[in-house]
């Protein structure tokens, strides 16, 4: 089985590529979704986060105030490091579980969809990695339009992650998403064919 790590930056178009894999019938383990499920109301994890970051991060309805927590860790590197320290082993455990389930089901490929793939050093779980790449200029424009925020805040958000240039250098495959979705889809089809070829070679 081929374990593919898929990553990118904010507003790079990673979710579009995730959908293209899903359309092929490939199992995708979505790290963001895993985190959301673990942070449901009344979970042990949510209680722990409230103990560490303050009860204010829990809304009146019991849900996590993602925006509030986001702003907190965004402005405080020590808080971000603490959150990563709590979340990293839990996410890794769930991803390993998902990979094992896919193996048992005799699936030929599984994709780990993870924004912080390299930051958390989870590429060690994968056979190959893909980065969805855009220039920083494009990233800023798209993020400003998507979140209705000013340029300085968009840039600060982007800079809170490893740069896409660095991720591109680390990746086995790069999908450049500067143009239309149709262009990204064409690149994806070529890449998917290459991945299927990788699979064939690994079985020979």
């Amino acid at each position: 089985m081929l374990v593919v790590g898929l990553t990118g930056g904010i507003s790079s178009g990673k979710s579009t590529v995730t959908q293209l894999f899903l359309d092929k019938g490939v199992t995708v383990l979505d790290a963001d979704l895993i985190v959301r499920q673990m942070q449901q109301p009344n979970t042990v994890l949510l209680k722990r986060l409230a103990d560490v970051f303050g009860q204010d991060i829990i809304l009146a309805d019991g849900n996590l105030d993602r925006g509030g927590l986001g702003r907190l860790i965004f402005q405080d590197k020590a808080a971000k490091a603490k959150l990563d320290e709590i979340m990293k082993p839990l996410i890794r455990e769930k991803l390993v579980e998902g990979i094992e389930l896919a193996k048992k089901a005799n699936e030929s490929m599984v994709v780990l969809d993870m924004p912080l793939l390299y930051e958390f050093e989870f590429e060690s779980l994968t056979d190959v990695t893909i980065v969805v790449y855009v220039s920083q200029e494009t990233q800023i424009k798209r993020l400003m339009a998507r979140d209705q925020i000013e340029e300085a805040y968009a840039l600060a958000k982007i800079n809170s992650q490893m740069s896409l240039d660095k991720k591109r250098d680390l990746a086995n495959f790069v999908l450049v998403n500067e143009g239309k979705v149709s262009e990204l889809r064409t690149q994806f089809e070529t890449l998917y064919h290459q991945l299927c070829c990788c699979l064939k070679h690994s079985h020979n």
Side-chain angles (χ1 to χ4, degrees):
M1 186 179 79
L2 195 68
V3 182
V4 180
L6 173 65
T7 192
I10 303 169
S11 292
S12 66
K14 180 176 63 64
S15 53
T16 305
V17 177
T18 298
Q19 190 55 52
L20 292 170
F21 272 113
L22 289 168
D23 291 345
K24 294 280 187 192
V26 177
T27 293
V28 175
L29 304 175
D30 181 337
D32 284 345
L33 194 61
I34 288 168
V35 168
R36 279 205 165 81
Q37 286 165 347
M38 286 194 290
Q39 294 172 344
Q40 293 288 343
N42 301 315
T43 52
V44 176
L45 175 61
L46 193 54
K47 288 189 177 81
R48 188 176 170 199
L49 292 177
D51 287 342
V52 174
F53 299 105
Q55 297 300 322
D56 291 353
I57 66 159
I58 298 183
L59 297 165
D61 63 3
N63 280 295
L64 174 66
D65 179 3
R66 291 181 196 285
L69 181 61
R71 281 189 294 279
L72 176 70
I73 62 160
F74 187 56
Q75 290 156 358
D76 182 345
K77 280 197 170 150
K80 185 179 186 305
K82 186 71 192 165
L83 182 66
D84 288 351
E85 188 189 315
I86 294 168
M87 297 307 303
K88 188 174 166 179
L90 298 173
I91 298 167
R92 186 185 177 92
E93 194 182 313
K94 291 287 183 190
L95 290 174
V96 169
E97 269 175 33
I99 291 167
E100 288 309 312
L101 282 172
K103 272 185 189 159
K104 281 180 187 156
N106 290 321
E107 294 188 32
S108 56
M109 192 186 300
V110 64
V111 173
L112 310 188
D113 173 356
M114 178 139 194
L116 302 178
L117 184 77
Y118 293 118
E119 288 91 332
F120 278 8
E121 298 174 341
F122 283 1
E123 71 272 22
S124 59
L125 298 174
T126 69
D127 300 307
V128 293
T129 57
I130 302 166
V131 164
V132 185
Y133 179 83
V134 291
S135 67
Q136 193 176 74
E137 191 185 346
T138 302
Q139 213 180 351
I140 290 167
K141 272 187 200 157
R142 286 183 186 166
L143 185 54
M144 284 170 69
R146 188 191 80 182
D147 291 0
Q148 298 294 302
I149 54 177
E150 70 279 6
E151 189 173 343
Y153 188 37
L155 188 59
K157 271 189 152 185
I158 289 163
N159 288 338
S160 70
Q161 293 185 348
M162 183 188 286
S163 79
L164 271 174
D165 286 351
K166 196 168 178 188
K167 288 182 181 181
R168 178 185 57 187
D169 294 343
L170 291 168
N172 300 106
F173 298 99
V174 180
L175 294 171
V176 179
N177 186 24
E178 289 284 345
K180 296 175 184 158
V181 176
S182 57
E183 290 165 22
L184 182 63
R185 194 178 288 117
T186 302
Q187 289 178 69
F188 172 80
E189 289 297 337
T190 304
L191 169 58
Y192 186 73
H193 179 69
Q194 286 175 292
L195 293 175
C196 291
C197 288
C198 286
L199 267 171
K200 284 195 189 111
H201 287 308
S202 66
H203 289 315
N204 289 343

